[in-house]
Each structure stands twice: as C-alpha cells, then as structure tokens.
Amino acid sequence: MTTSSLLHKPLFVRFAIRVDRAPAITWLALVAASLAPTWWWMGQRMADGSDDPLGLLALLTLAWLTWRCKGRLRASPRLGWLAAALLLALLSNATHGAWPALLSALLGLLAMGAALAAFLPQSAATAPVMGLAVLSLPLLASLQFYAGFPLRVVTAEAGRWLLQPFFAVERFGTALWVDGRLVIVDAPCSGVQMLWLGYFTACVVALHAAQRNAAFLARLPAVSAIVLAGNVVRNAVLVALEGSGTHLANWAHEGVGLVVLGVVCLGIAAVMNRRERGDV
C-alpha cells in the first residue's frame, strides 16, 4: 500500500494500519515500560533478601529468546495475545497497591509473556513462554511458606518407606527417628527450589526442541513426578547417612543435592525433548 493510497483511508483505518505495522520491539518496549511498578517491586523484593533471585534467570531467558528470534518476529502481531497483554498490563497497574503485590506482579509478568507471544514466530510454542513469565516472579519464599510444610511431610513419609528395609524408622511430622536418631526434614529439603529448576528446565528444553503447546502441557505431570522422586531420593540418602551416624560436611551435603538435581534436570530434558508420532 502506497503512502498516497493510505492517505485516502479513514482516520481510524490509517491508525489501525500504522499500529499493526509498528515494529515488534516497539510494542515489547512499550509493554515493558508500562510495567515500571512491577519491576520496582520485584527489584526491592530481591534486593532486600526477601526472595531468591532465581526469577532473574527466567527473565534473562525470555530476553535471550527475544534476541534469538529477532529476525523472525512477526510483522503483524497475533491480536488476541496483544489484546491480552494490554489488558493484563492495565490490570497490573490498576491493582498495584490495592491487591497483594505478588498477584499484581504476576499479572504484569503475564502481560510481558503475552506481548512476546504475540510476536513470536509460529514455530515457538506460547505455553513455555508463559511458563517462564510465571517463573520470573519472585515467589519461592511464598511457595516455601504455603507449600513447604506439606511437601516436607510427603518427602518424609516417602523417605520412611524407602528406609524401612534398612532401618527402624518412624515419622513424627516432618522429622524421622532413624535407629534412635532424630533427623529433621527442614525447609531446604522441601524441594521448592528443585521444583522451580525442574519447570525452568522443562520450559527451556521445550522451546529449544520446538515442542507444541499440547506436547509441553501433556508432559508437565511427568516433570512434577520426576522432581518429587528426585527430592525423595535425595532426602532418603541424606537421612540414611545421618541416621547411621555419618555426619556429612557441608560440601558433601551440597554435593549430593547437586548430583540429584543434575539427574532430575537430565530426566526432565529427556522427557521434554522426546519426539512422538504427531509431534511437529
């Protein structure tokens, strides 16, 4: 369409065409700028030690994805995703200070994810992108507060079943009596961080493997099962060592956790990277 023919269009049509042709990076920058209250709150929460800064890793991954696809971003956005991004950004700012900060920030990050999904090429699944947007939220401390205790109970009970063939084991809450020695399954053993890293791995591998949304979502239960199994095994090994009177140094304790985490992430990567009939 030439400039002269564009001038003969009604004003609202000309505006719509210019908006539709705005570069993707302009739209993404505008959405990001509109979320200033969200970025400010997130920065404060991570700077004062209220939460682990793992969310930065998810944000950097989204930035890397944008840079990797910069030559293939859509000239015309998917309007449904773009409208969702604008609506979520408005809700995030409108509820800032009125709703819980975590919820308002979640709306803002979902807005950023939706804006990116509007311009990503067809080959990039949108579900992992939205997953990374959620993982960008500094929510580990909140998850530990609300879900940490139930996860520790489940981990302790599963560990009891694993250790029973070798020790006399009883569970009391989140603690285990192992051959007369008390071993506590404490907060770091709840598996919250492993769960975050497991879902992060799933999102990254799904994007790298160009998995479809349906395939990604169908495999999430397997991701949860792998994380739970890995956390149970890690705690069972550590409890068995403590219960037998072997006191591990801090570096050895961390080493066991890192080895199990590596195995868990490799298992998740294998599940997410697997091709099945009908996958494209």
Side-chain angles (χ1 to χ4, degrees):
M1 181 180 294
T2 63
T3 304
S4 58
S5 61
L6 180 61
L7 291 175
H8 289 88
K9 298 288 184 181
L11 179 61
F12 73 92
V13 174
R14 281 182 281 161
F15 176 76
I17 292 174
R18 292 184 185 278
V19 166
D20 183 66
R21 292 181 178 179
I25 196 65
T26 301
W27 277 107
L28 294 174
L30 286 172
V31 174
S34 72
L35 298 174
T38 295
W39 307 129
W40 177 256
W41 175 80
M42 288 174 59
Q44 286 184 313
R45 184 173 169 98
M46 287 186 284
D48 65 9
S50 299
D51 207 303
D52 292 327
L54 283 176
L56 284 176
L57 184 59
L59 279 176
L60 289 174
T61 302
L62 288 174
W64 168 80
L65 176 65
T66 305
W67 178 83
R68 194 186 72 166
C69 296
K70 64 182 184 297
R72 297 184 292 123
L73 293 176
R74 291 169 176 266
S76 295
R78 289 182 270 198
L79 295 181
W81 280 108
L82 188 58
L86 297 177
L87 178 61
L88 287 166
L90 286 172
L91 283 174
S92 176
N93 288 323
T95 58
H96 185 73
W99 289 7
L102 200 64
L103 181 54
S104 295
L106 174 61
L107 293 173
L109 290 169
L110 288 175
M112 199 69 241
L116 182 55
F119 291 97
L120 284 175
Q122 187 68 33
S123 60
T126 54
V129 172
M130 299 306 288
L132 286 172
V134 173
L135 292 174
S136 302
L137 193 68
L139 79 172
L140 287 178
S142 298
L143 282 178
Q144 192 68 262
F145 182 81
Y146 291 106
F149 180 77
L151 287 173
R152 288 159 61 195
V153 171
V154 170
T155 300
E157 180 62 18
R160 182 180 72 84
W161 281 92
L162 286 178
L163 295 172
Q164 267 186 336
F166 311 100
F167 301 93
V169 187
E170 291 184 76
R171 180 180 66 83
F172 297 93
T174 60
L176 292 171
W177 281 98
V178 184
D179 285 352
R181 293 183 175 88
L182 178 65
V183 182
I184 298 174
V185 180
D186 56 7
C189 295
S190 66
V192 167
Q193 286 188 330
M194 185 181 289
L195 188 65
W196 190 97
L197 289 165
Y199 279 112
F200 174 78
T201 301
C203 292
V204 171
V205 174
L207 287 169
H208 177 74
Q211 292 287 7
R212 298 177 305 162
N213 285 329
F216 170 75
L217 294 173
R219 296 171 191 184
L220 288 183
V223 172
S224 301
I226 292 172
V227 171
L228 180 60
N231 193 52
V232 168
V233 169
R234 178 189 65 177
N235 281 281
V237 170
L238 294 174
V239 169
L241 291 171
E242 290 289 335
S244 64
T246 303
H247 297 288
L248 292 178
N250 286 336
W251 65 268
H253 191 283
E254 296 294 330
V256 171
L258 288 174
V259 169
V260 174
L261 176 62
V263 173
V264 165
C265 289
L266 285 174
I268 292 171
V271 168
M272 279 293 167
N273 200 44
R274 187 179 67 247
R275 292 288 176 183
E276 297 179 352
R277 184 175 300 176
D279 285 355
V280 294

